[in-house]
């Protein structure tokens, strides 16, 4: 895969507006700016000031570098711009743009640093500044960690305000009026006499102006879009089946590809015989890949059937062969040197010297991402370049992977980032891109669309790691006096970043996230992380470490509070040292009618987790019926600093609760002979419509730092459900999935 001829980089803005005499604007600042990717190969009369906004003869296009995975990222980015620009939201066009250093995520690293989620204080500010600098230096254009809104909140509002100011200046010069006499509305500058100059006609003149050093942002009381219920920009396309995902990509002469790789990850291929597959109708080629085989055919179904027909002798997995051995490997980490002890307050050893009132072990299994759209990518070597179309959360890494495989210069590799039919962290990996590039090179100039089967998607996932926690605690005088929690798990950071070639240093905070950083002043409290061997390659999964650790921490808290004879809500409030978290706990208590009698056979369970800077509390109400446990209702409250779209926040919290409950009840990946045993949704269950309870949501916006909401609703769901089952039945459940211990109806 060697070098080809030079091509203009602007050609990779596949979906962008055709720019001819317009204005490109945005805001980027952190010491020295990166050059704007919009500034290369511009037509005459076009000015590119910063990376985010394009105004041409036909309207406004916003470059939305954060990926759309169904969480509404594209729409909220557009709303942030349109609000300050005074432009109709439904008229904004969006484009993911060219992957570029200018679109680095200033918040993605900070979320993994100790103290970064704290609202105030020099430790929090230092962590956030350090994370921003690392994100910039490494050009981390990543979507994840619930950082899209926090990262875009100032940038895109400033981009819109800057554009508006320059358009007003251009209008004032044309009309010979003072800028203060002009106003903007619905994509036009309006003079006192009613004269309207559209942004489109003003853009060429505005593009010749210097960017103002300072612009004023609207007061939230003047917002017309933000803070109000919005209709997402993609809702019509998704509702009518016209939305185009990676799995929908087509091109003339396209070949359809799939892969079959060793289900015992890392085992490789000892030998294979493709003769029967190559003789099948429609099959163009069968080729070897590093850990399996790839098939090129004239449609996806024939590629799938041919892949099954290849006779392959697989090598054995280097990791422990079964689930029991994998858990033994994790348990062994308790005997090794600790990875972290980020919380160590009081004197835990002295407090527990007389014995523990509660001592328990908790376990959670490996979990699959299993997005509805399996891994898929489009790749095409043509005209001296490589064109990629794929849903990805890591576009810059994808470009690097394609360069490494093809030998092409960066300017010859183009990526158009597509919306995804789900991800939950799976598309933070680039293994399917690697395969698509190899297959496209073998296709000798024909476009290739790679699609994984569901079985391949399950077998080759990088799952949420299994983990074990051992907890002890003591109560005195009806109060929680000591809590000691040790957690053992493989390192997501080392496993995932290692595959991307990014070095990691120091402890992995994901091993203890959602446990060490909880805002409760227990007199003697420590949380210790133990790093288990990375036997099965693991990855980020929606809410990452907090998805397991909230179950550990809140289950142990509930047991200690019960042992103390205290009320679960009142004791948490007594211990709480974080005002936003206290507000959330109080609100969920009011919303759920906490303290009232739930009725015979019924129970309420409370759980709380501060993750990604967002305090979230949930109350689950259940009924113990003769047929099993029925989940009746869930009350969920979160503090996001400022509610920008109440409809999407409600949807995200409800979705997070459903995701958390479904996996708490049924979710697990088990292993036998080095292979995952669950191959499809019949054996890897999700919550279904008829099983979904009523979910009541309250989003608080008390004016603090703006936060994202995609992940924080997930962690409290599992412990709240387990605690509700204990309240209803007296049965304490310490291992997930819960359906292994109780029946659900």
């Amino acid at each position: 895969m060697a070098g080809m001829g030079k091509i203009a980089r602007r050609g990779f803005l596949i979906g962008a507006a055709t720019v001819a005499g317009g204005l490109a604007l945005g805001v980027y600042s952190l010491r020295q700016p990166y050059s704007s990717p919009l500034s290369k190969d511009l037509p005459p009369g076009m000015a590119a000031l910063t990376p985010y906004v394009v105004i041409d003869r036909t309207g406004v296009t916003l470059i939305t570098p954060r990926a759309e995975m169904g969480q509404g990222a594209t729409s909220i980015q557009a709303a942030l711009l349109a609000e300050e620009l005074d432009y109709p939201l439904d008229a904004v066009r969006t484009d993911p743009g060219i992957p570029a250093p200018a679109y680095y995520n200033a918040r993605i690293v900070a979320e993994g640093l100790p103290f970064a989620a704290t609202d105030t204080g020099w430790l929090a500010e230092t962590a956030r500044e350090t994370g921003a600098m690392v994100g910039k230096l490494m050009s981390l254009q990543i979507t994840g960690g619930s950082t899209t809104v926090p990262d875009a909140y100032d940038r895109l509002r400033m981009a819109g305000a800057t554009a508006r100011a320059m358009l007003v200046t251009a209008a004032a010069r044309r009309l010979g009026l003072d800028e203060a006499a002009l106003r903007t509305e619905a994509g036009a500058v309006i003079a006192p006499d009613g004269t309207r100059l559209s942004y489109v006609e003003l853009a060429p003149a505005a593009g010749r102006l210097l960017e103002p050093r300072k612009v004023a942002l609207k007061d939230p009381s003047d917002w017309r879009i933000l803070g109000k219920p919005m209709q997402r920009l993609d809702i019509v396309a998704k509702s009518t089946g016209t939305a185009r995902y990676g799995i929908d990509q087509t091109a003339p002469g396209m070949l359809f590809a799939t892969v079959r790789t060793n289900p015992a990850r890392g085992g490789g291929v000892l030998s294979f015989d493709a003769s029967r597959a190559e003789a099948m109708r429609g099959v163009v080629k069968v080729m070897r890949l590093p850990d399996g085989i790839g098939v090129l055919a004239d449609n996806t179904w024939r590629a799938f059937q041919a892949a099954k027909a290849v006779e392959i002798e697989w090598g054995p997995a280097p990791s422990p062969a079964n689930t029991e051995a994998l858990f033994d490997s994790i348990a062994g980490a308790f005997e090794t040197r600790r990875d972290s002890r980020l919380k160590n307050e009081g004197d835990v050893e002295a407090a527990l010297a007389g014995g523990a009132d509660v001592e328990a072990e908790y376990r959670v299994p490996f979990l699959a991402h299993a997005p509805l759209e399996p891994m898929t990518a489009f790749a095409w070597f043509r005209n001296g370049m490589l064109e990629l179309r794929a849903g990805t959360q890591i576009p810059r890494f994808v470009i690097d992977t394609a360069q490494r495989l093809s030998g092409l210069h960066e300017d010859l590799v183009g990526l158009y980032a597509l919306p995804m039919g789900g991800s939950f962290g799976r598309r933070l990996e680039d293994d399917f891109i690697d395969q698509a590039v190899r297959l496209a090179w073998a296709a000798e100039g024909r476009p290739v669309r790679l699609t994984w089967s569901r079985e391949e998607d399950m077998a080759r996932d990088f799952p949420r790691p299994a983990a074990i926690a051992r907890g002890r605690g003591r109560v005195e005088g009806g109060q929680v006096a000591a809590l000691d929690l040790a957690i053992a798990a493989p390192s997501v950071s080392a496993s995932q970043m290692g595959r991307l070639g990014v070095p990691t240093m120091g402890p992995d905070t994901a091993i203890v996230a959602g446990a060490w950083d909880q805002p409760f002043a227990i007199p003697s409290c420590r949380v210790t992380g133990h790093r288990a061997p990375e036997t099965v390659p693991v990855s980020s999964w929606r809410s990452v470490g907090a998805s397991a650790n909230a179950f550990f921490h809140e289950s142990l808290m509930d047991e200690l509070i019960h042992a103390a004879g205290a009320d679960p809500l009142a004791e948490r409030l007594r211990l709480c040292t974080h005002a936003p978290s206290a507000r959330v706990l109080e609100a969920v208590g009011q919303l759920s009618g906490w303290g009232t009698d739930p009725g015979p056979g019924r129970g309420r369970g409370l759980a709380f987790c501060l993750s990604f800077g967002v305090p979230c509390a949930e109350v689950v109400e259940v009924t113990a019926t003769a047929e099993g446990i029925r989940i009746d209702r869930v009350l969920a409250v979160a503090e996001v600093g400022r509610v920008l779209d109440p409809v999407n926040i409600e949807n995200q919290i409800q979705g997070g609760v459903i995701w958390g409950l479904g996996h708490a009840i049924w979710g697990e990946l088990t292993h036998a002979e080095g292979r995952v045993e669950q191959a499809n949704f019949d054996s890897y269950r999700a919550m279904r419509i008829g099983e979904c309870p009523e979910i009541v949501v309250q989003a608080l916006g008390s004016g603090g730092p703006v936060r994202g909401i995609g992940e924080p609703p997930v962690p409290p769901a599992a412990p709240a459900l387990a605690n509700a089952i204990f309240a209803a039945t007296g049965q304490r459940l310490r291992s997930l999935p819960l359906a292994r211990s109780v029946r659900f109806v």
Side-chain angles (χ1 to χ4, degrees), residues 675-690:
R675 305 180 181 194
V676 170
E677 294 184 291
Q678 291 71 28
N680 212 316
F681 289 122
D682 60 335
S683 53
Y684 190 78
R685 281 241 13 220
M687 179 169 275
R688 297 165 184 166
I689 291 177

Side-chain angles (χ1 to χ4, degrees), residues 38 88-89 99 206 272 315 404 415 430 434 451 463 490 557 588 631 706 739:
L38 304 179
L89 180 59
F272 73 95
R404 172 177 53 80
L415 168 67
D430 64 358
D434 179 301
T451 306
M557 280 284 285
V588 84
I631 307 175
V706 174

Side-chain angles (χ1 to χ4, degrees), residues 345-367:
E345 299 170 350
D347 190 337
V348 172
E349 292 299 335
L352 296 175
D357 293 304
V358 172
E359 189 163 2
E361 180 175 284
Y362 308 92
R363 293 191 174 205
V364 299
F366 292 99
L367 292 176

